[in-house]
Amino acid sequence: MSTNLSSKQMETKLYNLVSCLADNYGFDADEAFEYVRWETDVDHVGGIISVTEKPAKAVKKAAEPEKEAEKPAAAAAGGEDEKIATCRKNIENWTKKAGSAKDAVKHQEKIDKEQKKLEKLLAKAPKVEEKKPEPKAVEPKKAAPEKAEKRIKRFSPVMAGQLKTALEGVKLEMTDKLKKEFQQYVEELTDDDYRKEGLADHMRAFSKLKAPAEEPEEEITEEAEPEEEETTEEAEEAEAEEKIVGDSTVVDVTLKELQGISMTATVEPAGTFWDADKGRFVKGPEADDDEDFEEKKFEGTTYVVGEKTGRVYEARDSGDVFAGFVGVGKFKKMTK
């Protein structure tokens, strides 16, 4: 027998030998071959194949002693793998031939027996542990930068009235466009500049920036004398009244004190009164940006009244206008 045959070729020739004997003596060739191959304590077929195989040259490397020690274990593992592969193949082939078997019961018993053998081999086979991929380090998500809170969330009636007054001081009429521009102006201020002054001061500064350019005054020559402006009686009285207030001391009083004066006279600027009881000029509480307002109907007109200051504003489409104090002057009969 040639020693140049491969293991597979040698196994085929041995099977043909068993098959020839089976035809002559009347036994199952497959079952007999499997018996001498796997069922006995000694693998007769494997022994014959091993002695006919060409011995491999042993190569020992001094630098790799561990690899030489691993060879027997690898060979043993290879033998077990070969047995398992053979069992699987037998089960597959016998299952295909089940329809044409002479004795179907005996043929099925053979398949079941092979299946049990496969289970035993699988149980003995060394388990290969799969290396689980190391979890990737998850970088913490960067927190989104907090949005700065707006300095002016909404225009209250008081704020609208203050801005209107500041704009009128530079001969401008308040519009929605100017309100939005003022909001943008305030948002663009630095924290230091914003805290340095009050909101009313920022309104006046904004109004000055928006003020139209002043026209140069015409020089008065001897040839062209300026015409004297005619003044009405009411204008003269208002001018005299304004002069009196400007040259006199105005006393700040509380809303309660203002309401307690029995006789008052309204003078300019708005919110200033002549106290006839004590002969002095008085002024009511200033606007409070944080106070709430209540809408009231009085003598056919809609007003909003501050809950803290008692300041009364006339509600208009262009903006609320300061009109006086609740319980004082023309609003004497108005109550909170």
Side-chain angles (χ1 to χ4, degrees):
M1 190 176 290
S2 177
T3 58
N4 292 329
L5 295 175
S6 67
S7 299
K8 189 66 179 173
Q9 290 173 328
M10 180 58 68
E11 185 177 3
T12 302
K13 286 186 175 295
L14 289 173
Y15 179 81
N16 292 337
L17 175 62
V18 174
S19 180
C20 181
L21 292 171
D23 292 340
N24 187 57
Y25 291 101
F27 58 83
D28 189 310
D30 290 336
E31 187 175 355
F33 188 78
E34 290 303 313
Y35 179 77
V36 297
R37 185 77 165 100
W38 309 114
E39 296 297 324
T40 59
D41 295 336
V42 179
D43 181 3
H44 296 285
V45 175
I48 295 171
I49 293 172
S50 64
V51 297
T52 57
E53 285 182 337
K54 189 176 181 180
K57 291 182 180 180
V59 180
K60 295 184 180 180
K61 294 183 181 179
E64 299 179 357
E66 292 180 2
K67 289 186 178 180
E68 292 297 324
E70 288 174 0
K71 285 184 179 180
E80 291 297 320
D81 291 342
E82 187 178 349
K83 289 179 181 180
I84 291 170
T86 303
C87 277
R88 293 184 192 277
K89 187 175 181 181
N90 287 338
I91 292 170
E92 183 182 353
N93 291 335
W94 295 346
T95 303
K96 290 178 181 178
K97 296 177 181 179
S100 59
K102 295 178 181 179
D103 190 340
V105 175
K106 190 175 181 181
H107 191 79
Q108 185 60 45
E109 288 177 354
K110 184 171 68 171
I111 295 174
D112 294 341
K113 188 176 181 181
E114 193 73 7
Q115 184 65 43
K116 289 180 181 179
K117 185 169 67 174
L118 175 61
E119 291 174 1
K120 289 180 181 179
L121 289 172
L122 291 172
K124 292 179 183 178
K127 295 180 179 179
V128 180
E129 293 184 2
E130 295 183 1
K131 289 186 178 180
K132 295 181 179 180
E134 295 182 2
K136 294 181 180 179
V138 180
E139 295 183 2
K141 291 183 179 180
K142 294 182 180 179
E146 294 183 1
K147 292 183 179 179
E149 188 176 351
K150 288 188 176 182
R151 289 167 176 165
I152 300 178
K153 295 179 181 178
R154 68 177 185 85
F155 258 92
S156 66
V158 174
M159 291 169 60
Q162 288 178 324
L163 180 59
K164 184 175 183 294
T165 302
L167 291 170
E168 287 175 348
V170 294
K171 298 178 182 179
L172 283 175
E173 185 178 348
M174 189 174 72
T175 62
D176 290 337
K177 183 183 177 183
L178 284 173
K179 284 170 69 174
K180 289 179 181 178
E181 288 181 6
F182 173 68
Q183 284 179 289
Q184 187 65 29
Y185 168 81
V186 170
E187 296 300 329
E188 291 175 355
L189 290 173
T190 64
D191 290 339
D192 291 339
D193 290 340
Y194 177 69
R195 296 192 185 100
K196 194 186 298 180
E197 296 179 328
L199 196 59
D201 296 320
H202 292 312
M203 288 178 179
R204 284 190 285 271
F206 170 77
S207 299
K208 289 177 182 178
L209 292 174
K210 294 294 178 180
E214 294 183 0
E215 295 180 2
E217 295 181 0
E218 295 181 2
E219 294 183 2
I220 301 173
T221 61
E222 293 181 358
E223 296 178 358
E225 295 182 359
E227 296 182 0
E228 293 183 3
E229 294 184 359
E230 295 183 1
T231 57
T232 62
E233 187 177 345
E234 291 180 359
E236 290 176 355
E237 289 178 0
E239 187 178 345
E241 190 176 68
E242 198 170 302
K243 186 177 180 182
I244 293 171
V245 175
D247 297 339
S248 304
T249 301
V250 181
V251 180
D252 290 327
V253 295
T254 64
L255 177 63
K256 190 174 181 180
E257 290 173 336
L258 187 60
Q259 292 171 338
I261 300 171
S262 60
M263 185 177 293
T264 58
T266 304
V267 295
E268 292 294 335
T272 307
F273 302 88
W274 171 251
D275 178 4
D277 294 352
K278 296 183 179 180
R280 60 177 181 170
F281 290 102
V282 294
K283 184 172 65 173
E286 294 289 344
D288 186 344
D289 293 342
D290 296 328
E291 76 174 332
D292 294 326
F293 290 83
E294 181 183 2
E295 189 175 287
K296 283 186 174 295
K297 203 87 171 177
F298 182 71
E299 294 183 354
T301 305
T302 301
Y303 298 94
V304 287
V305 182
E307 292 185 355
K308 293 180 182 178
T309 62
R311 293 172 70 91
V312 180
Y313 295 87
E314 184 179 346
R316 296 180 183 175
D317 293 337
S318 59
D320 299 337
V321 179
F322 176 62
F325 291 92
V326 64
V328 180
K330 66 178 182 178
F331 299 112
K332 190 75 174 177
K333 296 182 180 180
M334 179 189 282
T335 57
K336 278 191 178 183

